[in-house]
Amino acid sequence: MKNAVSYYGKVLSLSIIILLFLWGCASKINVPNETTKKTTASTKPKKENALYLKLKVGSSPLSPISSDFNNDGFMDIAAISHGDNKLVIFWGGPERTFRRGPVYGKDLVGYHPGKIIAVDWNGDGLQDIILAAEGLFQVQYWENTGKDFVKKALIQVSINCKSIRCADLDGDGNLDIVLGPHQGNTILILWGKKGEFLFVPQAISTNEMAQNVEIGDWNHDGKKDIFWVEVVPGSVMVAINNGRRKFSKYYLKSPGKPIGLVKDAPAYVKTADLNADGCEDAAVTFEVLKEQSCTIFYGNCQGQVVSKEYIKAPVWGFSGLAVTVKQDGASPLIALGEEGRIFIAHRLGTKWMLVEKPAGSLPRDLSFADLDSDGNMDLLFSNTAGDSIGVLFGPLVTSGQN
């Protein structure tokens, strides 16, 4: 009896030791600690993986844009802090470095700046900045001196402009500006005059909450058309440019079904030839349509949608959006922002595949650019619920994924 008790005691002790060992292993596998996460995130990735760089801008950062503003051979970055009312410049340098440049505060920028674009407005070979000042109902012209920027002119407008695009829409050789509101039912065109920051305004009526204007040639006639999303009815629109400053409006997507207080919540529209047929296509993100969260409307060069394709969101819906067409027969890329992360969509055979990348809170205002001049597309974006903009250095998709 004594031997039996001793035997079972040894078995029980051994069992406890084994269970404790297995529990410890399981804990290490399933519950990584914060130190492990930080070490992994800060380790320099291999060349084929995207390196994530954060640049602090200020509260509610918006609209990061890139250009070689000072013509030194390195790409620079400009962005705004919507919450802190600032325009911030970062000078680019070798080995993917950026140093903080001039910062222009509320006394110059004004209350609640919306978006910025880079364009050589005065034709001197330097990229200037045009700023949509949402809170002031203004559009501002910031002239590039090669060392800094000087606010040279402004114009009052009739809408609280939060999106902006620029192109010669009427073919007269002068740049025109297209504005979308923060809230409202009007898209505004500012027809430019030669050598002046003066304009002739023209309003295009829309449904409620028309936002995030885009410019493209939807019907392939050589004239630039205007795209926008309408958040409340859930529609996507294009205004076809008929020439002589006249437009015809068409639905790419008709108003949707109510989901809470909004209908489908379209966020952004971007245009590019995504299937290499020579015709422009339109990609749209919807924040509350999980199955169709990125919808691609394929065009036929005649202003018609011939087919659609969907990219499903992993959780609830995409917000941020950027598109680029890769050369040499490789897949086009679509960048899609969802809370706390970014996905790079690329075509593998007949399907769009998603590769997850890191990001901060509410990544939006996405744009592709080769920021380090290595021949690979990089991604620039705002962490809009934080205080930084982000850069993902390419290759964004490895050769094995493409």
Side-chain angles (χ1 to χ4, degrees), residues 118-398:
V119 60
D120 184 4
W121 187 263
N122 58 1
D124 65 353
L126 296 172
Q127 293 288 299
D128 308 302
I129 290 176
I130 309 297
L131 185 150
E134 173 202 336
L136 298 179
F137 287 66
Q138 286 179 358
V139 178
Q140 303 172 0
Y141 164 41
W142 290 71
E143 185 177 85
N144 185 353
T145 70
K147 296 181 180 180
D148 58 11
F149 292 85
V150 178
K151 189 170 75 170
K152 296 288 279 189
L154 63 84
I155 183 172
Q156 294 295 140
V157 294
S158 58
I159 64 173
N160 53 346
C161 45
K162 197 177 179 180
S163 60
I164 181 170
R165 288 291 181 265
C166 185
D168 182 3
L169 296 174
D170 56 359
D172 66 353
N174 301 316
L175 291 172
D176 311 304
I177 293 175
V178 181
L179 301 170
H182 170 54
Q183 291 182 334
N185 56 0
T186 300
I187 297 296
L188 191 63
I189 303 173
L190 301 179
W191 298 104
K193 295 182 178 181
K194 186 175 182 180
E196 302 177 85
F197 200 71
L198 296 173
F199 304 89
V200 175
Q202 178 183 344
I204 298 179
S205 61
T206 71
N207 291 312
E208 282 299 316
M209 291 187 71
Q211 295 184 353
N212 295 325
V213 293
E214 188 58 66
I215 291 177
D217 186 2
W218 182 242
N219 58 351
H220 205 62
D221 64 354
K223 296 189 287 289
K224 295 296 184 181
D225 309 310
I226 303 171
F227 300 75
W228 66 89
V229 299
E230 297 175 335
V231 178
V232 172
S235 44
V236 183
M237 298 290 296
V238 57
I240 299 295
N241 188 344
N242 299 318
R244 298 186 178 183
R245 300 185 178 181
K246 295 182 179 180
F247 294 84
S248 301
K249 293 184 293 184
Y250 295 94
Y251 282 112
L252 289 184
K253 179 188 176 299
S254 300
K257 297 179 181 179
I259 302 177
L261 298 177
V262 297
K263 299 177 180 179
D264 302 347
Y268 288 87
V269 54
K270 301 291 182 181
T271 61
D273 180 5
L274 293 173
N275 58 355
D277 66 350
C279 300
E280 196 159 73
D281 311 307
V284 182
T285 49
F286 297 89
E287 294 191 67
V288 295
L289 287 181
K290 181 176 179 179
E291 298 294 326
Q292 304 171 13
S293 189
C294 178
T295 300
I296 303 171
F297 299 87
Y298 290 106
N300 65 351
C301 290
Q302 298 176 19
Q304 299 170 329
V305 176
V306 293
S307 63
K308 294 184 229 179
E309 194 172 15
Y310 307 110
I311 302 176
K312 178 181 176 181
V315 181
W316 58 82
F318 297 120
S319 52
L321 171 68
V323 298
T324 187
V325 178
K326 292 186 69 175
Q327 304 297 320
D328 302 324
S331 167
L333 298 180
I334 302 176
L336 299 161
E338 197 175 42
E339 170 57 30
R341 53 192 178 173
I342 283 174
F343 296 90
I344 305 300
H346 63 101
R347 186 174 285 284
L348 190 62
T350 60
K351 295 182 179 180
W352 288 96
M353 309 298 292
L354 294 179
V355 179
E356 184 176 347
K357 303 293 181 183
S361 185
L362 284 181
R364 298 196 176 199
D365 294 342
L366 282 59
S367 62
F368 285 105
D370 186 1
L371 295 171
D372 53 2
S373 302
D374 67 347
N376 295 304
M377 277 295 170
D378 310 310
L379 187 69
L380 184 61
F381 58 93
S382 291
N383 294 311
T384 58
D387 63 1
S388 68
I389 60 173
V391 181
L392 288 170
F393 288 105
L396 298 170
V397 178
T398 65

